[in-house]
Amino acid sequence: MVAFFGPGRSDSASLCYSFRGVADPLFGPRLRVVVVTPMRARILLAGVGIMIVVWSSHSLRRRFIATFFLDGPRATGPRWPSARPDPTPVPPSVPQLRVLLVDGLSMSFARGLATTSRFCETGLDLTLDVGFPTVSLPVQGALWTAHTQQQTGWLYRVKGLAAPPPEALPVRLGTSSVAVAEEQGYIAGSFGFTDLRATHADEAAFVASAQQAMEADARLAFVHVLRVDKAGHRGGAASDGYRAAALWADALLGRLLQAAPPGPDRRWVVLSDHGHRTHRRGGHAGAETEVRFVRACVAGGGIQAAVGTIHLVDLSRLLFDSLAVAPAPGSSGRPLGEAIATAARDATMPDHSRSPTAWLVGLGVVLLAVASSIAAARWVPPGRGRWVGLWFPLSLASVVAIYGVPTLSNPIIYPPLGLDVMLAALPGLLALSAFIAAATLAGSASGLRLAATAMMPALLGALASWLACGGLGAVVLGPSAAGPPLADPTSALASVCLVLVTASGIAVGASAGLTAAMLSLRARWRQRRPDPH
């Protein structure tokens, strides 16, 4: 096969005939000649360009998401406001400290649990800001070290630590600490408990081990309930399964309090490490109020009844003080009275993720892409497909309607293929395909221009959100230098927009190609149809 490029069909044809005169003796009937005019060349190059954009956006998104799950550089602690004078006495240390953590229990649900509420009425009933991101191991790292996620560098970490950190309370305590995990024992096992018991979802064994740990003479006993979090991931915080798991955890608390009640020598702490989205697919990791703020209660050991809002590192400081163990240098936790007197909302959030700034940035990204969609319409000749760029806001709207606002808590932003986003964006993608098909029927020149116009809003949205969350530094320099690009909601928007770049490229290419093929087949059919005259 030989291709000729010329300014028009006649010139290309003359070149073909000249070449045939030379090549026929050499190749004979095996020679095939295809004429490629400048118009066909532009169409071919446009198709290749769309394929490159589709492949590169898909590859970039996978690399981008992979940087979420890597540790970042250690940062400085939060900037606390000036402390207010507070008459609350510092709680005395106690011989025994008991901690029950119900993984994934949202505050709104914890408020309705009978046993938990009765326990909270006897001491401190706290609103607890667990920091960012809201991922179990980094959050529990803040609980046991009194260092925020940014200080430890454990951000979106889902694997256990290679060795317990020296600043962890069980390590500094030195001995007499026990942890019982319903599942995923590597989380508690990352912080140096001298006795770790993982029951691998054996309910009877877990309850028995938890009761035994609370009744024992160990100075520190920790029980980690995981089933509520698992139910949240399966069906969200509004599901029947989540409710059943939370009621089970509440009943477990009652049983453990009866076996080892709080008193002058035994202090109890009951908390969660994060909440869950109410959407049917649940999720956590972001900075939403329903995920980041949980209920925490403290009773026993001379604790007086009170209410307040504190940060997780402040609660961690209380754990250290309860066992008369000095926190490691650089810890962020404040004394209890100071923490309650000065709530300092959002103080432990990284600067680029503080609300409402991050949400304004995310909104600006969307508006930029929508504005580009409207402005790019000037490139398209009047007529069919002039407002082709409107497929992008339509796609975003359908994604939000089906799966909720894209944030780090939303599970649709993580799968490598992004099929959930593509399916949710189907109304906009179908509209895009219809626009492209109409323009192809109108003429190839307008169709090529329309293809560029159609993909521009998704490309601009992806680029803007990727830069806004620090994705460029994370991908080019690596998270160890730049830090993982974790900023709500811009990180999630970057992931969604990159999926839409891929999807729009596929829709443009497929629609234009199929329409052109249908036109070609129709032309051939008309040529072969016998003339009735």
Side-chain angles (χ1 to χ4, degrees):
M1 179 181 290
V2 179
F4 287 94
F5 295 83
R9 289 182 177 272
S10 59
D11 295 318
S12 298
S14 63
L15 287 172
C16 290
Y17 288 127
S18 300
F19 182 79
R20 270 194 175 279
V22 177
D24 270 347
L26 298 175
F27 298 98
R30 290 177 298 174
L31 180 65
R32 296 290 184 272
V33 178
V34 176
V35 178
V36 180
T37 63
M39 178 61 68
R40 288 180 176 177
R42 285 198 295 270
I43 294 174
L44 179 63
L45 291 175
V48 172
I50 289 173
M51 290 176 62
I52 292 173
V53 170
V54 167
W55 177 84
S56 59
S57 61
H58 173 69
S59 178
L60 176 61
R61 178 177 175 272
R62 294 187 63 151
R63 289 187 60 193
F64 173 63
I65 293 174
T67 61
F68 289 8
F69 304 98
L70 301 176
D71 294 342
R74 289 179 174 242
T76 57
R79 298 184 296 273
W80 299 117
S82 300
R84 303 175 189 170
D86 184 78
T88 306
V90 176
S93 60
V94 290
Q96 293 185 349
L97 178 64
R98 301 293 179 257
V99 181
L100 174 69
L101 188 146
V102 183
D103 201 314
L105 181 62
S106 297
M107 174 180 285
S108 58
F109 210 99
R111 294 288 185 197
L113 296 176
T115 303
T116 300
S117 296
R118 284 195 300 269
F119 169 78
C120 294
E121 290 171 358
T122 65
L124 291 175
D125 191 351
L126 302 170
T127 297
L128 187 67
D129 183 344
V130 303
F132 176 82
T134 50
V135 181
S136 290
L137 190 143
V139 169
Q140 292 189 37
L143 175 67
W144 297 119
T145 66
H147 291 71
T148 66
Q149 291 92 313
Q150 285 66 43
Q151 285 182 284
T152 61
W154 311 323
L155 299 172
Y156 207 133
R157 188 182 182 95
V158 294
K159 296 181 179 179
L161 302 178
E167 60 266 34
L169 175 58
V171 175
R172 296 182 71 81
L173 186 61
T175 184
S176 192
S177 61
V178 57
V180 180
E182 186 176 16
E183 289 185 69
Q184 298 182 8
Y186 67 87
I187 297 179
S190 295
F191 302 108
F193 286 90
T194 55
D195 183 2
L196 174 65
R197 308 169 192 174
T199 58
H200 306 292
D202 184 333
E203 182 174 313
F206 175 63
V207 172
S209 296
Q211 184 171 331
Q212 183 182 12
M214 295 306 192
E215 291 175 333
D217 294 332
R219 294 202 65 197
L220 172 62
F222 171 58
V223 173
H224 180 195
V225 178
L226 190 66
R227 65 180 60 207
V228 179
D229 181 61
K230 292 181 66 177
H233 283 294
R234 285 193 298 266
S239 65
D240 291 338
Y242 186 87
R243 175 181 176 80
L247 291 173
W248 185 93
D250 192 55
L252 175 67
L253 172 62
R255 182 169 178 174
L256 297 180
L257 288 174
Q258 186 176 10
D265 295 333
R266 183 185 293 122
R267 181 170 295 154
W268 268 80
V269 179
V270 177
L271 76 155
S272 178
D273 54 353
H274 57 76
H276 255 285
R277 295 169 71 239
T278 55
H279 191 274
R280 60 184 177 83
R281 299 185 63 181
H284 59 90
E288 302 97 317
T289 298
E290 63 181 331
V291 172
R292 196 175 111 217
F293 291 88
V294 299
R295 191 181 195 185
C297 298
V298 185
I303 292 287
Q304 302 297 316
V307 297
T309 299
I310 65 174
H311 292 267
L312 181 60
V313 288
D314 300 326
L315 183 66
S316 178
R317 171 66 180 270
L318 176 61
L319 302 187
F320 279 87
D321 291 344
S322 295
L323 296 175
V325 176
S331 67
S332 298
R334 301 169 294 171
L336 181 62
E338 178 184 335
I340 293 178
T342 311
R345 184 183 174 92
D346 296 335
T348 56
M349 292 285 287
D351 290 338
H352 59 72
S353 293
R354 291 177 186 268
S355 299
T357 305
W359 288 97
L360 292 176
V361 171
L363 179 62
V365 167
V366 174
L367 292 178
L368 169 65
V370 172
S372 73
S373 164
I374 298 173
R378 294 171 177 250
W379 295 5
V380 182
R384 305 177 189 178
R386 183 173 178 83
W387 303 107
V388 64
L390 294 180
W391 74 270
F392 181 71
L394 177 59
S395 294
L396 282 180
S398 61
V399 169
V400 172
I402 295 173
Y403 289 117
V405 175
T407 69
L408 288 170
S409 297
N410 197 322
I412 64 170
I413 73 169
Y414 300 105
L417 296 179
L419 293 178
D420 290 333
V421 175
M422 291 187 189
L423 291 174
L426 201 55
L429 296 174
L430 290 175
L432 171 61
S433 299
F435 279 131
I436 296 296
T440 305
L441 291 171
S444 300
S446 62
L448 288 175
R449 195 177 297 178
L450 194 68
T453 305
M455 298 182 67
M456 183 176 292
L459 282 167
L460 282 178
L463 179 62
S465 52
W466 188 50
L467 293 175
C469 71
L472 177 62
V475 171
V476 175
L477 302 177
S480 59
L486 299 174
D488 250 352
T490 47
S491 295
L493 274 175
S495 174
V496 170
C497 288
L498 284 168
V499 172
L500 293 179
V501 171
T502 303
S504 63
I506 294 173
V508 167
S511 180
L514 288 174
T515 307
M518 290 174 61
L519 289 173
S520 178
L521 289 173
R522 186 177 68 176
R524 290 184 181 182
W525 180 77
R526 286 179 176 177
Q527 289 176 355
R528 294 178 181 178
R529 189 173 57 180
D531 190 345
H533 304 289

